[in-house]
Amino acid sequence: MTQTAIYPGSFDPITNGHVDIVQRTLQVFDQVVIAVAFNANKDSAWFTPDERTEMIRETFAGVAGIEADAFSGLLVEYAMRRGATAIVRGLRAVADFEYEFQMTMMNRHLEPRVETIFMMAGESHFYTSSRLVKEVVSLGGDIAGQVPDCVVSRLTARAETHR
Ligand code: PNS
């Protein structure tokens, strides 16, 4: 039986920290659905859900077992619809813990049949985040190595409109 994991997030944009988590997840699951969460009414993202999904597809072009999708509404309902065995989240340092703990407990309350599991990011990605990458690029800093190559030029171009 195919074991599918949902890897949800804002992915605004995908970073090399996310890529690291996906690669680790692929060692445990047959199929990883990278799911871009969006809120149609309130979304302050730099990139549209379509743009975010497209960057993920480009990043993993040719890699088997990966699907990129976008969803709105409750994550656990999406996970059930997709027949996923688990939700995967990445953990960096201690600061992530409380937020992740709350979400996991709420999701478990909403849908006890979906388990959340955590992957530790590699140490070179402990400080990488989409939020910081956007801040750095909008202040003219170098973000090479922090995001996939196909994301760099899109981020730089989008930063022009967010200065
Ligand atoms: O990358 P992020 O922004 O930390 O991801 C947060 C995300 C998308 C996983 C979370 O906001 C989410 O699950 N959103 C979907 C709506 C939902 O189910 N909310 C209740 C979560 S307890």
Side-chain angles (χ1 to χ4, degrees):
M1 201 180 106
T2 307
Q3 299 277 0
T4 300
I6 304 284
Y7 179 38
S10 306
F11 301 108
D12 183 47
I14 185 165
T15 67
N16 284 339
H18 296 128
V19 172
D20 176 90
I21 298 295
V22 171
Q23 283 163 346
R24 290 172 198 281
T25 306
L26 263 185
Q27 290 179 30
V28 184
F29 289 88
D30 309 303
Q31 167 107 20
V32 181
V33 178
I34 307 171
V36 174
F38 69 97
N39 180 338
N41 302 318
K42 180 175 100 18
D43 209 324
S44 55
W46 275 27
F47 296 97
T48 66
D50 280 351
E51 287 173 324
R52 289 181 258 164
T53 312
E54 205 176 287
M55 286 187 273
I56 295 168
R57 290 202 182 110
E58 270 181 50
T59 300
F60 292 103
V63 181
I66 303 278
E67 183 191 325
D69 193 15
F71 76 100
S72 61
L74 283 178
L75 169 60
V76 285
E77 287 179 0
Y78 175 76
M80 289 301 284
R81 274 203 307 279
R82 297 302 315 256
T85 322
I87 291 166
V88 169
R89 293 285 290 171
L91 273 185
R92 287 164 303 192
V94 190
D96 281 340
F97 183 79
E98 193 166 338
Y99 171 58
E100 296 299 335
F101 182 78
Q102 279 183 341
M103 278 205 300
T104 300
M105 290 305 162
M106 180 58 81
N107 284 332
R108 186 177 288 173
H109 164 77
L110 293 168
E111 182 45 85
R113 288 172 294 179
V114 178
E115 205 56 71
T116 302
I117 64 168
F118 293 93
M119 293 282 174
M120 266 333 236
E123 60 274 18
S124 49
H125 300 296
F126 262 34
Y127 56 89
T128 307
S129 80
S130 300
R131 183 183 64 77
L132 274 185
V133 157
K134 285 183 286 193
E135 185 171 324
V136 168
V137 80
S138 62
L139 295 170
D142 182 11
I143 41 107
Q146 301 282 307
V147 294
D149 290 345
C150 66
V151 173
V152 176
S153 56
R154 288 181 190 243
L155 250 182
T156 314
R158 193 55 53 94
E160 293 296 323
T161 59
H162 281 269
R163 265 190 226 279

